[in-house]
């Protein structure tokens, strides 16, 4: 990367960045175009941000692509968006392999049409040996769905005797989430000027640094991503402790 305008410490990058990719529809409508045109251009930003995250050695990138609530949009948009997402993932498999990127999907895949689900599962299988960036697509995902599913599984395990109720703690609970094998994000970015979480990783975001930008997703490019990381690196993460404690810990490590 030439003329690096950002002050980024490569030793202190977030391990996991999560993104709510929002604003595709408004981006298109502002130009008098169909909302699907916005989603199509949003795919270009996905490519660019995935490439940038891989280049910088970020280990986990979660992209919120379709929420459980998005199934309630007009059928035309749901069909167009689902088709676009699944087609893109399928087409990108060779590039993912070339860049050592492993694809993961979190969400209720049972709600997807059968062929879309099988396309996704084969893309996941085809990249499972890659050891670079973990790209986690949140598709048909909602956090309340995920938490309720976890509770159901826990109840079943308690009932069958494989788990004792008194042994349930946050560490055990997290193994029942769809994100069990990923660390919690250190940074969550939401584009398009909305200040809400929209049912995304409610449990996992407990101590995540939140970054909101007015830039809509189709306009969100590498420089915006790096700007978010730079901003994140200026923050002091205290986890309930005092600023003084954090400074002392830093000096002694
Ligand atoms: C984000 O853009 C993509 C999805 C939520 C699927 P939107 O489609 O929500 O765009 P806006 O927020 O209506 O502009
Ligand atoms: C959140 O965006 C979901 C995704 C980005 C996939 P929405 O556009 O659906 O969120 P709300 O409805 O404005 O909260
Ligand atoms: Mg939106």
């Amino acid at each position: 990367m030439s003329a690096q305008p950002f002050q980024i410490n490569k030793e202190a990058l977030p391990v996991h960045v999560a993104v709510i990719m929002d604003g595709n529809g408004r981006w298109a409508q502002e130009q008098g175009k169909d909302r699907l045109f916005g989603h199509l251009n949003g795919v270009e930003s996905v490519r660019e941000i995935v490439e940038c995250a891989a280049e910088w050695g970020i280990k986990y990138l979660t992209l919120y692509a379709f929420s459980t609530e998005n199934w309630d949009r007009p059928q035309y948009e749901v069909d167009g968006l689902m088709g676009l997402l699944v087609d893109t993932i399928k087409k990108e498999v060779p590039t993912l392999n070339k860049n050592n990127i492993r694809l993961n999907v979190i969400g209720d895949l049972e709600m997807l049409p059968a062929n879309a689900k099988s396309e996704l599962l084969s893309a996941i299988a085809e990249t499972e040996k890659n050891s670079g960036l973990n790209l986690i697509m949140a598709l048909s995902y909602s956090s309340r769905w995920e938490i309720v599913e976890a509770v159901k599984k826990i109840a079943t395990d308690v009932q069958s005797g494989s788990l004792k109720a008194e042994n349930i703690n946050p560490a055990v609970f997290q193994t029942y989430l769809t994100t069990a094998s990923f660390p919690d994000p250190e940074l969550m970015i939401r584009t398009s000027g909305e200040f809400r979480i929209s049912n995304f990783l409610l449990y996992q975001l407990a101590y995540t640094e939140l970054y909101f930008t007015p830039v809509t997703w189709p306009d969100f490019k590498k420089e915006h991503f790096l700007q978010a990381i730079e901003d994140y690196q200026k923050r002091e993460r205290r986890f309930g402790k005092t600023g003084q404690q954090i400074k002392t810990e830093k000096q002694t490590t």
Side-chain angles (χ1 to χ4, degrees), residues 97-111:
N97 282 332
K98 199 178 94 204
N99 296 315
N100 199 22
I101 300 170
R102 179 174 181 176
L103 174 71
N104 308 265
V105 175
I106 55 171
D108 186 2
L109 297 191
E110 296 314 315
M111 289 184 79

Side-chain angles (χ1 to χ4, degrees), residues 14-239:
V15 174
H16 184 172
V17 180
V19 187
I20 301 179
M21 310 184 289
D22 197 15
N24 293 351
R26 278 164 286 161
W27 180 89
Q29 284 167 327
E30 272 158 24
Q31 308 169 53
K33 301 260 172 59
D34 189 271
R35 292 176 59 85
L36 286 181
F37 181 67
H39 297 314
L40 193 66
N41 280 272
V43 171
E44 291 311 314
S45 297
V46 172
R47 280 203 189 93
E48 181 158 333
I49 299 314
V50 169
E51 190 185 296
C52 181
E55 232 171 57
W56 279 78
I58 299 217
K59 278 304 285 178
Y60 301 88
L61 177 69
T62 299
L63 300 179
Y64 200 8
F66 194 93
S67 71
T68 309
E69 289 75 17
N70 290 149
W71 288 113
D72 295 332
R73 290 191 177 189
Q75 198 59 41
Y76 162 77
E77 183 169 345
V78 169
D79 291 347
L81 187 51
M82 240 335 124
L84 179 68
L85 286 167
V86 175
D87 267 13
T88 306
I89 289 174
K90 192 177 154 193
K91 278 200 207 116
E92 291 295 314
V93 168
T95 313
L96 295 177
N97 282 332
K98 199 178 94 204
N99 296 315
N100 199 22
I101 300 170
R102 179 174 181 176
L103 174 71
N104 308 265
V105 175
I106 55 171
D108 186 2
L109 297 191
E110 296 314 315
M111 289 184 79
L112 295 180
N115 64 326
K117 188 185 161 193
S118 68
E119 299 280 15
L120 274 179
L121 294 179
S122 61
I124 292 168
E126 284 173 61
T127 64
E128 74 182 350
K129 295 210 165 58
N130 297 336
S131 58
L133 172 71
N134 270 282
L135 171 61
I136 303 147
M137 297 299 294
L139 254 188
S140 186
Y141 173 89
S142 86
S143 199
R144 287 187 176 173
W145 162 81
E146 174 183 44
I147 291 170
V148 169
E149 284 303 302
V151 170
K152 278 196 229 163
K153 285 186 224 141
I154 289 174
T156 309
D157 285 354
V158 169
Q159 211 164 29
S160 74
S162 63
L163 178 69
K164 285 203 170 74
E166 60 267 35
N167 290 342
I168 302 169
N169 57 34
V172 170
F173 185 79
Q174 92 91 33
T175 66
Y176 284 84
L177 295 171
T178 60
T179 53
S181 54
F182 317 127
D184 290 342
E186 290 96 337
L187 171 64
M188 196 285 283
I189 300 168
R190 183 171 189 148
T191 62
S192 86
E194 304 297 351
F195 299 94
R196 55 179 172 267
I197 304 292
S198 302
N199 219 345
F200 187 46
L201 304 176
L202 298 178
Y203 189 84
Q204 298 86 338
L205 293 179
Y207 260 107
T208 303
E209 294 298 328
L210 308 179
Y211 180 87
F212 297 96
T213 169
V215 177
T216 51
W217 181 250
D219 284 335
F220 191 86
K221 301 296 168 195
K222 279 186 187 187
E223 62 268 28
H224 302 107
F225 187 70
L226 295 176
Q227 203 167 26
I229 292 181
E230 186 185 49
D231 190 275
Y232 158 82
Q233 289 189 333
K234 288 193 193 126
R235 303 189 189 180
E236 182 178 64
R237 305 186 72 206
R238 289 193 284 271
F239 301 98

